[in-house]
Each structure stands twice: as structure tokens, then as C-alpha cells.
Amino acid sequence: MCHNLYANVMKSFLKYTLATICGLVIFTFIAGIFFLLSLAGMAASGSTTPSVKSNSVFVLKMDGAIQERSEGGTPLDFLMAQSDMSVMGLDDILASIKKAKEHEDIKGIYIEGGLSEFDSPATAQQVRDALKDFKKSGKWIIAYADNYTQSGYYVASVADSVILNKTGMIELKGIGGKREFMTGLYEKIGVKYQAVRVGKYKSAVESVIRKDMSPENREQTEAYQGGIWKHMLSDMAESRTKLTAEQIDQLVNDSILAFAAPDDYVKGGLIDALRYPETVKATIKGMLGTDDDINQLLLADMIALPDKESDKGDEVAVYYAYGEIIDQQTSLFSTEHNIIGKETVDDLNKLASDDNVKAVVLRVNSPGGSAVASEQIAHAITQLKTKKPVVVSMGGLAASGGYMISAYGDYIFAEPTTITGSIGIFGLVPNVSELVTGKLGVTFDGTKTNKYTDFEENLVLTKDNAQEIKFMQTYVDRGYETFLNLVADGRKMTRDAVHEIAQGRVWLATDALPIKLVDKLGSLDDAVKKAAELAKLDEYHKKSYPEPAPWYQQLMDMSEKKGTYLDGELREVLGEFYQPVLNARRDMQRNRLQARLPYLLNF
């Protein structure tokens, strides 16, 4: 009897325990659904159109990283007010400045902070140009920062009043610096990089095969750095009317700006006043003519304001192609945006078949990458052109593979400080035979059915691979000829004429204009206008592509973004060595045939 009683008790216990567990699972599932729905509702309500009170000020905080395009926040970002943001999109900033110009209740812009990280000089230049255009409306701009970086000051210098903290500093020092050459390190550990390339200026391989810059690389680098600096000096002098470009340049050469007392900045005409931050509010209230609290609109508020021309007339699509060009996404932790070959081709094909899209602007900001993926994207552009006009707008970089995907545009615009050209191909394969065999004692043997079955193994693991290197050079030469012919076809030039200005040379857009690599210096808006003109549109609006994923997809993707934390930790630990380590890792994943800039440009 006791046994039966015990069995019945255990049976009841298990039944109720299992029922409880099932209930908890079902409850958690249902609660999760309600949580997601409520999250979506709150996100939607948080993104409703903000009210713009009279006498409002657009507060543009310039303390984050600014890249080509905003990736779009998740609902959690909006709920946590993260959209005024550690990473901002150039597209959002430019659109917001334009809205502020056109809205009668927004009286001015307050630029707060000067430590923003711009992904290129052209990005900073475009923000500055938009602010300069804003002032044409008769409205004012005030800038304040505890400290200004060089790019931060360059942008802020357009303001009617530039204010610095009483203990602050301005970091003006010119453009340039040192880059790492890893050859000596690789020699010590027994790794030798085998480089094959075409073009005496194609210096992408120099960091792993030389210990210094080649004369050709030094020539091209000094040319574009000098051109960018000259442009920045001219812009700053135009706004800071007490100084000429030559005077600012001399101040930088004398090094007083790096060590000057704050009062010297006022005396030299670089800023208008030294203030503590709490007193800046009084200045803004004076501009508004009020003693009331300041009605502030942040970047997130401006993004949420409707665009007056968002749905008028026909559609001009603006397709953003930015980042390195790759065959497929392989990195486990990098958060950088890439141009993925097949995905981009599919997107362009969809735009070609979309009857609502009357013209396409390809917005390119890329140092290049996989030559194979670049050529496939270029081919997709030729197919797109048969159905509607394609105009290219170059951002900070449109070089090497970035130029390859641009060359077939019906018309090419570039910013004055765009880096472009670099028409060349290279291949880079590490040889570890000295490390693996010479130092570690590992040897290799095997069988094969054909003479070059172990082609890639020989490239990496053996010293006796002269024939394999020759094959690689032939492969690279063929890729270069393809590149030359593609550019010649797209730009209506001869192959020899392209070769004369190619050979891997990097050009500043102002120098690329007279050699016909670009058609005109101008902005993204200029490119949109040209596309509408070619499509013969009387009334039009622009729409950005690729479109952001819906909120629920972003939530699902959040689990795949766990690498963001790891990426941040690696940056913190490795510091200035983060990028070289990341590049070495990427070299193992990249396509063997590369149409990519010499190195990450340091401004």
C-alpha cells in the first residue's frame, strides 16, 4: 500500500511539475509576443512627427562618428534615445540641415561639440557646405566646443560665432602622418608576402613588402593631401574673414596652435569668444530675442520631421554603395558596412525592373575591394543603363573597385575633396614556409592527379613556387586589362589614354576632372538633379535604397550583432594596432584579386 501511495504521489508531482513548466513556457512565449508588440508600438509612437515650436533651434551635436549613411536604429535605440547618436549618418545630417533651412519656426543651428570623427575629408566638407547653404536663408549658426579637432573646427568655422571653452584647445596641424610597414615584423616571424601588381602607383602591397614608401606612392600621396589641405584652408579663410589661407597655414607651421593659450585663438582670429558652457545659452537667447527656455530640436527630431518633397512627382532612386567591396560577408565581429557583390547586383536588377523608378543615382563611397565583385556590379550598371539613366555621385572615396563600379555612369559627380582613380589590380598571398618549416619544423608531402593540383598550397607553404607566382601575375595582368577596357568603354576613351592616367594612381577629384575621370564637381543633390534632367522629369522626389529592414527584422538581427561588443573591446585593447591586425585577418579572407586603395587613408 505504501508503495502504491508513493507511486501515486510521485505521479501527481511529476504531472503538476510538467504542467507548471509547460505553463511557464507558454506564458513566456505569449509575454514575449506582447513585449515585441508593445515595443513596436512605443517605437512607432516615439517616431511620430515632433511639434516644432516657434523660435526653435536645431542642436547639432558633433561628438560622434559620421559615416556615409545611417544604418537605422532598432526600436530599443529609439526608446533609449540613442538616435542622437554615437554613429550618425551623413544623409540624415544633410537632410536635417535642409529641413532646418526651410522651416520658418527654426531660427538657427547650434553646433555643440567639436570632436566628431569623419570617415573622410569629403564628409566633413559636405556637412560644412550644407551649413554654408543654410546661412543663405538669413538664419544664424553658433558653434561651441570644449575642444575642437581639426575636422571639427573646419566644420564649425562656418558659424557666425565660434566659441571655445576657456580652457579648451584647437587641434590644427595639417594633413598626413605615419603609416605602419609590417615587413620587418613578418621577417622576424618567418612570413613573406608575395605581391603581384600592375601599375607603378598601385602601392597597396607596400606595407607588407617594403619598409618605407616608394617614390611613386610618396608623389601621389603628397599631391592629394596637399590638395585637400589647400581646400580646407581656403574654406576656413573664407569664413574667418580676419585671416587669409596663407596666414592660417603659417600658424599651423609655427606650431602655436597645438600649444597656444586659449586667448591666442581669439587674438589670432580663429574664434570669436572664450566662454564656459553655461554662458553660451545666454548668447543663443540673445540671438532668439527671448529670456524663455530654448526650444531645442535634436537630430532625432529633425529626422522625424516630414520631407516636404518626399512624395511629389516621379521617383529618382538614390542607391548607397559604401564600404569595402567584398564577395560575401565573412567577418564575425567587424561592424563596418560593406558592399556585397551579389546583394548589390540583385538590388540594382530590382531597380532596373521597377517601373516606378525613373532614374538612379549611385552614391559611391568605397576604397574598392574584390575585383571580381566590382566587375559584376559594373556589369549590372550597364544593364540598368539600358532602361533608365544612371548618374554617379562620389562621396569621400570612389577609388579602385569603387571607381570601377562608377565608370559606367551616364554622368559622374565628385566632391572637391573626393579621392578617386587608383585604376589598378594587385594580388597578395602570404608565404609561411620559413615560419612553418624553417622555425617550427613542419614538413609537407602528398599526392596529386595533376601538375598544379596543389597550386595554392605551393603559394603559401613552399619556397619553390616561381611558376605559381608567374601564373598569379598573368591573372593580375588580365584583370588590369579588363579594368582598363571597362573604364575606356564607360568614359568613352581609348585604352591607352586610360592606361596613361591609371597604373594605380590615386587622384583628388579636382585633378581627376581635367583628365576626364569625373564630369563635374558637385553634391549628391546635383547628381539627383542631373538624373531627373536625363530622365526628362518635370517633378520628382528622391528615395533612398537599400531600404532599412522593418523593426521586427531589426529585432531578430540584434542577436547577430553580438560582435559589436567584441569589436569595441578589441579596439580598446589594441589601440592603434587594431587596424593593422584587422587588415591582416582580412587579407586571409579577401579575394586573391583586389582592386583596392593602397591603404586606409589617414587624415
Side-chain angles (χ1 to χ4, degrees):
M1 179 181 291
C2 289
H3 175 75
N4 290 336
L5 179 62
Y6 175 77
N8 289 333
V9 169
M10 288 301 298
K11 187 181 296 183
S12 298
F13 173 77
L14 290 172
K15 181 174 69 174
Y16 287 117
T17 299
L18 289 171
T20 301
I21 293 173
C22 290
L24 286 172
V25 171
I26 294 172
F27 173 78
T28 302
F29 179 74
I30 294 174
I33 292 176
F34 277 106
F35 172 73
L36 292 178
L37 291 174
S38 63
L39 199 62
M42 287 186 286
S45 64
S47 60
T48 55
T49 303
S51 60
V52 181
K53 300 176 182 178
S54 61
N55 243 13
S56 290
V57 175
F58 172 25
V59 179
L60 180 57
K61 295 184 178 181
M62 300 292 282
D63 282 331
I66 299 175
Q67 61 185 24
E68 180 64 34
R69 191 185 186 197
S70 170
E71 296 294 331
T74 66
L76 282 176
D77 291 328
F78 288 103
L79 289 174
M80 300 296 289
Q82 293 299 310
S83 38
D84 266 277
M85 313 172 184
S86 60
V87 178
M88 298 175 283
L90 174 63
D91 58 339
D92 286 337
I93 293 175
L94 299 183
S96 296
I97 293 172
K98 183 178 180 182
K99 291 176 186 177
K101 176 186 177 182
E102 296 173 348
H103 203 296
E104 61 183 11
D105 289 325
I106 299 176
K107 304 303 181 183
I109 292 178
Y110 171 48
I111 303 173
E112 183 179 77
L115 300 178
S116 287
E117 298 176 10
F118 295 89
D119 64 3
S120 70
T123 299
Q125 171 234 306
Q126 289 168 86
V127 175
R128 195 182 192 284
D129 287 349
L131 291 168
K132 182 179 176 181
D133 180 69
F134 171 86
K135 289 175 64 176
K136 292 178 181 178
S137 65
K139 300 180 180 183
W140 49 263
I141 300 175
I142 293 176
Y144 168 83
D146 292 332
N147 296 287
Y148 287 105
T149 61
Q150 181 162 277
S151 295
Y153 177 77
Y154 168 66
V155 171
S157 65
V158 76
D160 298 282
S161 181
V162 182
I163 305 171
L164 178 68
N165 189 292
K166 281 182 173 288
T167 58
M169 67 171 289
I170 303 172
E171 186 188 68
L172 274 178
K173 55 186 181 181
I175 293 175
K178 300 185 184 301
R179 55 171 297 216
E180 71 282 348
F181 289 82
M182 308 295 287
T183 308
L185 171 63
Y186 290 137
E187 286 176 352
K188 290 181 183 297
I189 63 175
V191 174
K192 179 181 179 181
Y193 269 87
Q194 303 161 122
V196 287
R197 57 177 169 169
V198 180
K200 61 183 179 180
Y201 293 97
K202 199 63 179 178
S203 52
V205 299
E206 288 187 0
S207 64
V208 292
I209 66 170
R210 291 180 60 100
K211 297 181 181 179
D212 60 0
M213 297 176 72
S214 67
E216 293 83 6
N217 189 20
R218 188 176 300 278
E219 175 192 349
Q220 67 175 350
T221 303
E222 288 178 346
Y224 68 70
Q225 286 180 344
I228 292 169
W229 182 236
K230 183 178 180 181
H231 185 87
M232 290 177 66
L233 288 171
S234 176
D235 281 348
M236 290 185 290
E238 182 184 16
S239 297
R240 308 303 301 168
T241 54
K242 294 180 181 179
L243 291 170
T244 65
E246 292 74 21
Q247 287 173 323
I248 297 175
D249 195 39
Q250 188 60 49
L251 288 172
V252 176
N253 283 335
D254 291 342
S255 299
I256 68 164
L257 298 184
F259 310 104
D263 286 341
D264 293 334
Y265 297 131
V266 180
K267 294 175 184 177
L270 290 171
I271 62 172
D272 298 291
L274 294 169
R275 301 274 178 83
Y276 288 116
E278 61 270 15
T279 64
V280 178
K281 288 185 179 179
T283 302
I284 297 175
K285 287 182 179 181
M287 298 296 291
L288 294 171
T290 181
D291 291 325
D292 298 332
D293 290 339
I294 301 169
N295 301 319
Q296 301 181 44
L297 293 163
L298 301 179
L299 181 59
D301 301 317
M302 298 302 299
I303 293 171
L305 286 178
D307 189 335
K308 294 179 180 179
E309 300 178 355
S310 60
D311 57 359
K312 292 182 179 179
D314 294 306
E315 179 182 323
V316 176
V318 178
Y319 187 86
Y320 284 85
Y322 61 104
E324 184 174 339
I325 301 172
I326 61 177
D327 298 293
Q328 58 185 358
Q329 190 69 270
T330 56
S331 178
L332 296 176
F333 61 84
S334 176
T335 57
E336 296 176 358
H337 187 276
N338 293 311
I339 303 169
I340 303 173
K342 186 178 185 309
E343 290 184 9
T344 303
V345 169
D346 289 344
D347 288 342
L348 294 174
N349 290 340
K350 289 176 183 176
L351 291 176
S353 60
D354 189 340
D355 292 335
N356 293 322
V357 175
K358 304 303 181 184
V360 175
V361 173
L362 182 68
R363 173 67 172 185
V364 180
N365 190 352
S366 173
S370 166
V372 175
S374 300
E375 195 277 332
Q376 290 173 346
I377 295 170
H379 177 70
I381 297 292
T382 65
Q383 302 302 301
L384 177 59
K385 278 179 59 176
T386 63
K387 297 186 177 181
K388 55 200 71 176
V390 178
V391 175
V392 173
S393 169
M394 293 178 171
L397 299 169
S400 205
Y403 190 81
M404 186 184 292
I405 67 175
S406 305
Y408 276 124
D410 292 301
Y411 206 84
I412 298 178
F413 284 89
E415 302 289 346
T417 51
T418 295
I419 298 294
T420 190
S422 192
I423 300 168
I425 302 285
F426 71 92
L428 195 61
V429 181
N431 186 284
V432 298
S433 59
E434 179 62 29
L435 170 63
V436 175
T437 302
K439 296 181 182 293
L440 302 179
V442 179
T443 56
F444 302 90
D445 198 4
T447 61
K448 55 187 177 182
T449 59
N450 296 86
K451 186 176 181 180
Y452 295 108
T453 299
D454 52 356
F455 173 83
E456 290 202 347
E457 291 171 293
N458 286 343
L459 281 171
V460 176
L461 298 174
T462 68
K463 294 181 179 179
D464 185 19
N465 60 8
Q467 187 60 50
E468 283 82 358
I469 294 295
K470 184 177 179 180
F471 289 156
M472 279 288 292
Q473 186 66 58
T474 300
Y475 186 39
V476 168
D477 290 344
R478 187 167 64 244
Y480 181 63
E481 286 300 318
T482 299
F483 201 163
L484 290 180
N485 291 322
L486 186 154
V487 173
D489 186 32
R491 301 301 296 160
K492 304 297 185 291
M493 300 168 66
T494 66
R495 178 264 181 207
D496 290 343
V498 176
H499 176 62
E500 184 67 25
I501 59 175
Q503 302 184 56
R505 174 148 189 174
V506 176
W507 298 92
L508 190 64
T510 49
D511 297 321
L513 181 63
I515 59 176
K516 301 181 180 179
L517 288 179
V518 301
D519 293 302
K520 194 171 184 178
L521 300 180
S523 65
L524 175 59
D525 284 343
D526 292 327
V528 171
K529 291 176 183 176
K530 184 66 176 182
E533 175 190 321
L534 294 177
K536 300 179 180 179
L537 306 179
D538 294 325
E539 191 174 38
Y540 61 91
H541 66 275
K542 66 181 180 182
K543 183 176 179 181
S544 298
Y545 293 88
E547 296 183 82
W551 68 267
Y552 52 84
Q553 183 64 51
Q554 293 182 44
L555 281 175
M556 297 297 290
D557 291 344
M558 284 175 68
S559 62
E560 299 177 8
K561 296 180 180 179
K562 56 185 179 294
T564 304
Y565 174 76
L566 177 58
D567 183 57
E569 289 298 298
L570 284 171
R571 287 178 183 270
E572 185 70 24
V573 172
L574 296 175
E576 64 186 67
F577 295 105
Y578 167 83
Q579 202 62 56
V581 170
L582 186 62
N583 281 341
R585 181 178 182 276
R586 285 175 173 171
D587 281 338
M588 301 301 293
Q589 300 173 330
R590 286 171 170 140
N591 190 295
R592 294 299 186 215
L593 197 61
Q594 287 286 303
R596 186 162 44 88
L597 263 186
Y599 44 84
L600 293 176
L601 304 176
N602 177 18
F603 296 105

